[in-house]
Amino acid sequence: AIHRSGVLVTDDKKAENLLAARVQIRSTLELIKAWADTASIDGPELRLALSAVYERGYQPPKGHPLKAWWDLTLRDR
């Protein structure tokens, strides 16, 4: 990502702290939210996608800026 001027997607805080000054970083939840917004995904399809991500072990940290969106979307299932 650094050498190709790309974006690094990680949820690892150590990696974020180490690389933040060198590369643009996005989180899993930012990618999912961007996909949902761009493709106009909402309702059951979005809940299904978030549920699948959750079932595979991801849960956003308490301080994540999109945590409320995640909680609200999953709560509506």
Side-chain angles (χ1 to χ4, degrees), residues 47-59 70 74 77:
R47 283 189 293 283
L48 183 63
L50 292 181
S51 293
V53 171
Y54 176 79
E55 289 169 7
R56 285 160 181 81
Y58 178 81
Q59 188 167 358
W70 165 277
L74 283 178
R77 55 179 163 157

Side-chain angles (χ1 to χ4, degrees), residues 8-53:
L8 176 66
V9 178
T10 184
D11 296 302
D12 183 305
K13 284 295 175 196
K14 277 188 173 181
E16 288 178 26
N17 293 335
L18 181 67
L19 299 170
R22 300 181 67 196
V23 66
Q24 185 179 8
I25 298 176
R26 293 289 177 250
S27 70
T28 298
L29 199 49
E30 287 175 299
L31 280 185
I32 295 170
K33 177 82 165 82
W35 164 73
D37 291 346
T38 301
S40 299
I41 307 296
D42 59 6
E45 187 175 3
L46 181 55
R47 283 189 293 283
L48 183 63
L50 292 181
S51 293
V53 171

